[in-house]
Amino acid sequence: MPATSFAAGERRLRVALITSSYNYIKDGVALTLNRLVEYLEAHGVEVLVFAPTMATPAFAHAGTIVSVPSIALPARQEYRLALGMPRSARRRLKEFGPDIIHIAVPDLLGYRALRLAQQWNIPAVASYHTRYETYLKHYWYIAALTGLVSRYLRWFYATCREVYVPSLSMAETLRADGMKDNFRLWPRGIDAVRFNPAKRSSEWRARHGIGVSELVILHVSRLVREKRIDVIVETARRIQAAGLAHKLVIVGDGPGRAALEKTLPRAIFTGFLDGESLATAYASSDIFLFPSETESFGNVTLEAMASGLPCVCADATGSRSLVAAGLTGLLARPGCVGQFADHIATLAGDSALRRDMGANARARSLDFRWDETMARILGYYEALSGKSGTLQEAPR
């Protein structure tokens, strides 16, 4: 294999990634950013990550992390709030000399990084992962801050050179909210080998007390209010009252789990799953139910689609860009339990429709490839910085 190097005098592209979630919790943001860093480093980009850490990481991370001070969020102890960027971290950032500062979360750490980028005349970009302003309404003690947070977010993202949004529906919603149109599309990808209908397992179903022909309705998420677990509960009650034979399987964990287990005693709770265990759970189910209206993309919906499941989702950001209504699944008005229950009943009563929608969902999911989406980000970086991150063959 030929040696690789850079052309004479050429400095590699350097990217500083600023995020509040990277390796202490295994959530969608952290996994996406780790995949990005892995891709960038494999393509000759130098990356330095600034993020909160814990003594015991949730998984083996990619790249080099500069740890910043943080505290656990009062209402969500599993997440950490970065307390800005201390002098030692600022010094490390300046010594690194990034060509791009990529901010993944607009918190105190992200704010400080944005100000430093302005001060040092370095292009700052942001990726949009979470609809913070919509989360607040689910927690009464901070709901009054919604207007203030919305104004701050409009300022923050307008100040960045580019904002990478994961779906067209997300960009449309943000424009309608009065945000500056500096958006670039950065969709997510799927491992279509791991998430595959071929992973369906009669052994998995039997282990959970599910018969061969029983209908399995699956929900996968963090079990928190903003995922609209209240709609899950009411939809389950509605279809049960209608006499629809089914098994409800809930994959995930979080502060809402204990209450859900009491409210839905007939449901099967698997706890958090990942890897092959998660892939098997998807493929061994029949319908995917996801009423969240706060998604910027919907990684779990794409995983369900790749696994061959018709999806019943909220007609909201993220899901709207993934689910083609009537083709790969059905969309319900956010919070409308009646529509969710009716859609479930429609699919439950028509196995051919489920099969066709599942096949269409699988085919649609194959349009989302990780290499293509990561190459898109690298292209954005290169255009902004005028530098290439791609390694070149050394002259022989």
Side-chain angles (χ1 to χ4, degrees), residues 149-183:
V149 170
S150 295
R151 288 193 295 274
Y152 167 71
L153 293 176
R154 281 195 292 271
W155 170 83
F156 185 94
Y157 289 116
T159 307
C160 295
R161 291 279 294 274
E162 295 180 341
V163 177
Y164 306 133
V165 293
S167 63
L168 291 173
S169 61
M170 190 70 257
E172 291 166 1
T173 296
L174 293 176
R175 281 193 290 266
D177 287 345
M179 288 182 63
K180 178 181 176 181
D181 191 358
N182 54 352
F183 304 126

Side-chain angles (χ1 to χ4, degrees), residues 1-204:
M1 184 176 179
T4 56
S5 69
F6 285 86
E10 182 182 359
R11 197 196 79 170
R12 288 195 286 176
L13 174 64
R14 292 179 184 171
V15 175
L17 177 62
I18 316 296
T19 178
S20 64
S21 177
Y22 194 71
N23 76 333
Y24 66 83
I25 189 169
K26 205 170 189 178
D27 67 357
V29 176
L31 294 174
T32 296
L33 295 177
N34 270 267
R35 191 181 286 269
L36 172 62
V37 171
E38 186 176 32
Y39 178 90
L40 292 174
E41 291 190 332
H43 287 77
V45 179
E46 293 184 57
V47 185
L48 194 58
V49 181
F50 293 78
T53 60
M54 294 182 68
T56 304
F59 58 96
H61 65 266
T64 301
I65 301 179
V66 176
S67 183
V68 300
S70 64
I71 58 171
L73 283 174
R76 296 285 297 276
Q77 292 286 311
E78 70 274 28
Y79 283 101
R80 303 194 68 78
L81 173 67
L83 301 176
M85 185 176 288
R87 185 174 301 173
S88 59
R90 293 199 301 270
R91 186 167 54 247
R92 186 78 182 275
L93 178 61
K94 192 167 188 177
E95 290 170 352
F96 180 59
D99 302 296
I100 299 284
I101 294 179
H102 180 157
I103 306 168
V105 180
D107 57 4
L108 294 172
L109 176 63
Y111 171 82
R112 188 60 185 139
L114 181 56
R115 285 304 199 191
L116 289 173
Q118 291 177 305
Q119 180 182 330
W120 297 338
N121 197 29
I122 298 170
V125 300
S127 47
Y128 194 97
H129 298 272
T130 305
R131 297 196 64 193
Y132 295 100
E133 74 284 5
T134 65
Y135 276 35
L136 300 183
K137 68 181 181 180
H138 297 287
Y139 300 90
W140 63 267
Y141 44 86
I142 53 175
L145 298 175
T146 300
L148 180 63
V149 170
S150 295
R151 288 193 295 274
Y152 167 71
L153 293 176
R154 281 195 292 271
W155 170 83
F156 185 94
Y157 289 116
T159 307
C160 295
R161 291 279 294 274
E162 295 180 341
V163 177
Y164 306 133
V165 293
S167 63
L168 291 173
S169 61
M170 190 70 257
E172 291 166 1
T173 296
L174 293 176
R175 281 193 290 266
D177 287 345
M179 288 182 63
K180 178 181 176 181
D181 191 358
N182 54 352
F183 304 126
R184 293 294 199 98
L185 188 62
W186 183 33
R188 304 297 181 254
I190 189 69
D191 182 343
V193 174
R194 167 165 289 173
F195 297 102
N196 194 310
K199 300 289 178 70
R200 190 173 181 90
S201 168
S202 56
E203 188 276 331
W204 182 91

